[in-house]
Amino acid sequence: MGSSSKSRTARSTAPQASAGRVLGRATRQRRALLAIIAREARPLSPYELHRLTHREIPSISQSTVYRNLRALEQAGEICAVSIPGQTSRYERAKVADRHRHHFHCRECDRVYDLKGCPGGLRRLLPRGFTLEEHTIVLSGKCEACVN
Amino acid sequence: MGSSSKSRTARSTAPQASAGRVLGRATRQRRALLAIIAREARPLSPYELHRLTHREIPSISQSTVYRNLRALEQAGEICAVSIPGQTSRYERAKVADRHRHHFHCRECDRVYDLKGCPGGLRRLLPRGFTLEEHTIVLSGKCEACVN
DNA sequence: TTACGTGCAAAGCGTTTGCAAGAGG
DNA sequence: CCTCTTGCAAACGCTTTGCACGTAA
């Protein structure tokens, strides 16, 4: 894609990872959050993450979860997964950076990573438009919910 | 908050006309709203819709816009377009029922209808999963914002 | 020690709802 | 007329923020 950032805000920091900012202190809360996201196979919502971290650190607040999600995202450690009509879920950046798409189960409301990507999206583009990114979300029932 | 709407079954209604409920009274507000949605080429947000209807009916409230959007959607007159990380936009059902995908301009934040659909999505599906629907959102810059 | 991170409470923001007044059919 | 719809304000759910204290480095 673009080799130089346009006239927008220059985010010139570490060129290697995805995002710019550097992660700050490794607090107990931040470590717990990251550990849970790392061990989980599917993207988790802030609500789920607060519930899970709360088991280890009962005093953890929702704001801490939100603040850390933002910090971790900016640091390129995690990545937000947006499902239409749903609140964002978060997963490890290593997983997300492989350019994943997602499946949303309408039964259990869980989100799963998918492999692969159908090409040929550029031909959907009207003339004069530029394509920077795309999102594909399949929905239906996951294996556990098909009966 | 875990769950959203689920366990719907009667999805197999008429492919084009009303989705269920019957539309009630044709109030000034409702007519204005529908007229604006009908004449506009792209899906509009509740905010935009309130702003536009407000020009014709200065007394119109936001709640009226929201209530009518819901009523019109249930009546099958309009259709919600969900863009990840964005509030829903609304467009005429006749347009939406043609199975459209959408383009979101990151510059001006507008949403456009696209034509066509890339096939081959079913091969992204894990074994045992069933596919009921899919959403594709391209993003970048629209013609007006490429500079 | 000294910023950065935390918990708490309050504020924001978009959306929904209760209620009494208003208007469509 | 009777009921549906409206406008207002308050409630709501999720997310962000101000503040003083706590804690990693």
Side-chain angles (χ1 to χ4, degrees), chain B residues 54-99:
Chain B
H54 182 77
R55 297 220 272 247
E56 297 177 27
I57 310 171
S59 71
I60 196 170
S61 66
Q62 299 221 63
S63 13
T64 293
V65 172
Y66 281 110
R67 278 190 282 230
N68 275 312
L69 287 176
R70 207 166 5 148
L72 290 167
E73 191 183 9
Q74 291 184 323
E77 294 286 324
I78 65 174
C79 194
V81 175
S82 296
I83 304 295
Q86 300 272 324
T87 147
S88 287
R89 325 283 170 115
Y90 296 84
E91 67 181 355
R92 289 218 313 284
K94 286 145 197 168
V95 175
D97 281 355
R98 276 182 220 142
H99 184 64

Side-chain angles (χ1 to χ4, degrees), chain A residues 63-105:
Chain A
S63 15
T64 293
V65 172
Y66 281 109
R67 278 190 283 231
N68 275 312
L69 287 176
R70 204 161 14 141
L72 290 167
E73 192 183 7
Q74 291 183 324
E77 293 288 322
I78 65 174
C79 194
V81 174
S82 296
I83 304 295
Q86 301 271 323
T87 148
S88 287
R89 325 283 171 115
Y90 295 84
E91 66 181 357
R92 289 217 315 283
K94 287 145 196 166
V95 174
D97 281 355
R98 277 181 220 144
H99 183 64
R100 298 262 170 175
H101 295 304
H102 297 90
F103 179 92
H104 175 232
C105 178

Side-chain angles (χ1 to χ4, degrees), chain B residues 68-138:
Chain B
N68 275 312
L69 287 176
R70 207 166 5 148
L72 290 167
E73 191 183 9
Q74 291 184 323
E77 294 286 324
I78 65 174
C79 194
V81 175
S82 296
I83 304 295
Q86 300 272 324
T87 147
S88 287
R89 325 283 170 115
Y90 296 84
E91 67 181 355
R92 289 218 313 284
K94 286 145 197 168
V95 175
D97 281 355
R98 276 182 220 142
H99 184 64
R100 299 259 170 175
H101 294 304
H102 297 90
F103 179 92
H104 175 233
C105 178
R106 294 172 154 185
E107 195 76 21
C108 66
D109 207 43
R110 273 186 285 225
V111 172
Y112 297 84
D113 286 315
L114 299 177
K115 285 173 195 140
C117 177
L121 293 172
R122 204 168 288 274
R123 71 158 197 275
L124 304 181
L125 213 61
R127 263 182 302 280
F129 284 44
T130 63
L131 181 57
E132 294 173 12
E133 212 176 88
H134 67 270
T135 304
I136 297 180
V137 179
L138 308 187

Side-chain angles (χ1 to χ4, degrees), chain A residues 28-30 32-33 49-65 68:
Chain A
R28 219 156 73 84
Q29 293 86 337
R30 184 167 294 177
L33 206 42
L49 285 165
H50 182 246
R51 190 164 45 74
L52 290 169
T53 49
H54 182 79
R55 298 218 273 247
E56 298 176 26
I57 310 172
S59 70
I60 196 170
S61 65
Q62 299 221 62
S63 15
T64 293
V65 172
N68 275 312

